[in-house]
Amino acid sequence: MGQVLHGCARTTEAVRRAIQHSQESLRALARRHGINP
């Protein structure tokens, strides 16, 4: 079954998991995933 996102959601569960486990700065992660830091 596909993932259903909230209307205002900008990230998927996989992106959030990648951000949580990353050692990169928040600025670099935001730029990479196209989201606001």
Side-chain angles (χ1 to χ4, degrees), residues 18-30:
I19 290 170
Q20 289 173 344
H21 291 99
S22 177
Q23 296 298 313
E24 288 185 85
S25 70
L26 288 177
R27 180 176 288 171
L29 288 166

Side-chain angles (χ1 to χ4, degrees), residues 1-17:
M1 183 171 184
Q3 186 174 14
V4 177
L5 296 177
H6 182 276
C8 295
R10 294 289 309 261
T11 62
T12 63
E13 182 178 345
V15 170
R16 289 190 302 272
R17 189 178 311 115

